[in-house]
Amino acid sequence: QITTVSGNEFLLQSDIDFLILDWFHAIKNAIDRLPKERSCTSRNLEFKLRRSSSIELLNSLDTESKEPKPEHRKSLIFRLNYSASDTNDRSRVKSRLKKFISRRPSLKTLQEKGLIKDQIFGSHLHLVCEHEKSTVPQFVRLCIKAVEKRGLDVDGIYRVSGNLATIQKLRFVVNQEEKLNLDDSQWEDIHVVTGALKMFFRELPEPLFPYCFFEQFVEAIKIQDNATRIKSIRTLVKKLPRPNYDTMKILFEHLKKIAAKESVNLMSTQSLGIVFGPTLLRPEKETGNMAVHMLYQNQIVELMLSEYSKIFGSEED
């Protein structure tokens, strides 16, 4: 989030970490090139990018209207910058947070006491499937059904971000095991549904492509001969645990339908690879080759979409 001294606010949002980092450096470099007389503005803008302090922001608001007072608009960023540098305030906040966290029972304890049910988001795929007695999470099926019903023709489907607050609300409903109806008007924005589905896969403790398979898939995509490359990917896919394979198959079949509508929704297999590559497969430990890995992740998803029938089809196919 960028807030200028004139009170204008800009929100840059992405699910991909390295893109966010690139944006930050690009904006920071632009700030650093500003004339000396605007150095105060540049420092404040850089701080706003680096850290957002909701406490100081609330203190600067009119307590009745909860909107910045006119005389405060131009100095809002400076107030944030100045307050955040107050070490005493920061120490008190840290102390309170430590006390709060230390008193909280663990998630495992709450689950054992029955106060919190097993979560759908953030749980291992096989545990979700075991709980539901299936090999594909019900939430995944519901999202795919909703998107295919009213989202295939939507421009930028899966690329455009939905409202994060509404996505988090949907996440809460799913985790509380409340009956989910994605046709309800509160989920009418299909980008909320696609955002929640991406969040589900992103929050898996182990991605849909298990960690132990990551390097094998990367080596397979590097193979020059196309027929051999497809055969290697197919062999690896067949070795996946049943919940991973079945979920992957239904997801890629769905994404293939999205790509088939490229002329309308402008989402090609390449675009879907960029969106889903980092979400579905990643190394267990990030290394300095993150940009290279990103390229391979995208290519793997793109190939599996382009050659879906050969990779997921029967041996006779």
Side-chain angles (χ1 to χ4, degrees), residues 78-206:
F78 176 77
R79 286 170 175 269
L80 284 168
N81 196 25
Y82 182 81
S83 299
S85 65
D86 188 330
T87 55
N88 291 330
D89 285 348
R90 293 171 66 184
S91 296
R92 283 197 294 270
V93 171
K94 285 182 181 179
S95 177
R96 290 176 183 174
L97 283 173
K98 285 179 180 178
K99 288 180 181 179
F100 173 71
I101 292 171
S102 64
R103 291 173 184 168
R104 292 184 66 197
S106 66
L107 176 61
K108 183 178 180 181
T109 301
L110 293 172
Q111 288 174 336
E112 288 174 350
K113 291 182 177 180
L115 298 175
I116 293 183
K117 299 177 181 179
D118 292 334
Q119 307 284 286
I120 301 298
F121 282 76
S123 293
H124 285 275
L125 182 65
H126 70 277
L127 294 178
V128 175
C129 291
E130 285 175 12
H131 175 72
E132 298 180 349
K133 295 180 174 56
S134 68
T135 56
V136 179
Q138 180 65 12
F139 177 67
V140 173
R141 292 185 183 276
L142 288 174
C143 287
I144 288 175
K145 182 179 178 181
V147 175
E148 292 185 358
K149 179 180 179 181
R150 51 193 173 93
L152 291 179
D153 296 336
V154 175
D155 185 2
I157 191 71
Y158 283 112
R159 175 173 49 78
V160 175
S161 299
N163 181 275
L164 184 57
T166 311
I167 292 172
Q168 291 289 7
K169 182 180 179 182
L170 177 54
R171 180 182 186 274
F172 177 81
V173 170
V174 174
N175 275 342
Q176 294 303 307
E177 294 191 36
E178 297 181 22
K179 188 174 181 180
L180 181 63
N181 177 18
L182 290 178
D183 288 331
D184 190 288
S185 60
Q186 61 183 324
W187 320 124
E188 64 181 353
D189 181 3
I190 198 63
H191 296 305
V192 166
V193 177
T194 57
L197 182 59
K198 288 187 294 181
M199 181 180 285
F200 170 81
F201 285 112
R202 194 164 55 247
E203 291 190 2
L204 288 174
E206 186 170 25

Side-chain angles (χ1 to χ4, degrees), residues 224-266:
Q224 295 298 313
D225 180 69
N226 189 54
T228 307
R229 182 166 60 241
I230 294 171
K231 185 177 180 180
S232 298
I233 294 286
R234 174 190 170 90
T235 300
L236 289 172
V237 167
K238 297 293 183 183
K239 291 180 180 179
L240 293 172
R242 184 64 183 275
N244 298 72
Y245 176 83
D246 286 355
T247 302
M248 189 180 296
K249 184 176 181 180
I250 194 174
L251 175 65
F252 275 80
E253 182 181 17
H254 165 64
L255 295 179
K256 193 170 180 294
K257 294 177 182 178
I258 298 289
K261 291 273 193 172
E262 178 190 356
S263 60
V264 181
N265 59 38
L266 305 181

Side-chain angles (χ1 to χ4, degrees), residues 278-301:
T279 299
L280 300 182
L281 70 158
R282 57 185 181 273
E284 187 168 9
K285 294 182 179 179
E286 291 292 351
T287 65
N289 298 324
M290 191 171 73
V292 177
H293 281 161
M294 186 74 69
L295 177 63
Y296 291 138
Q297 289 162 327
N298 300 350
Q299 289 178 348
I300 290 166
V301 172

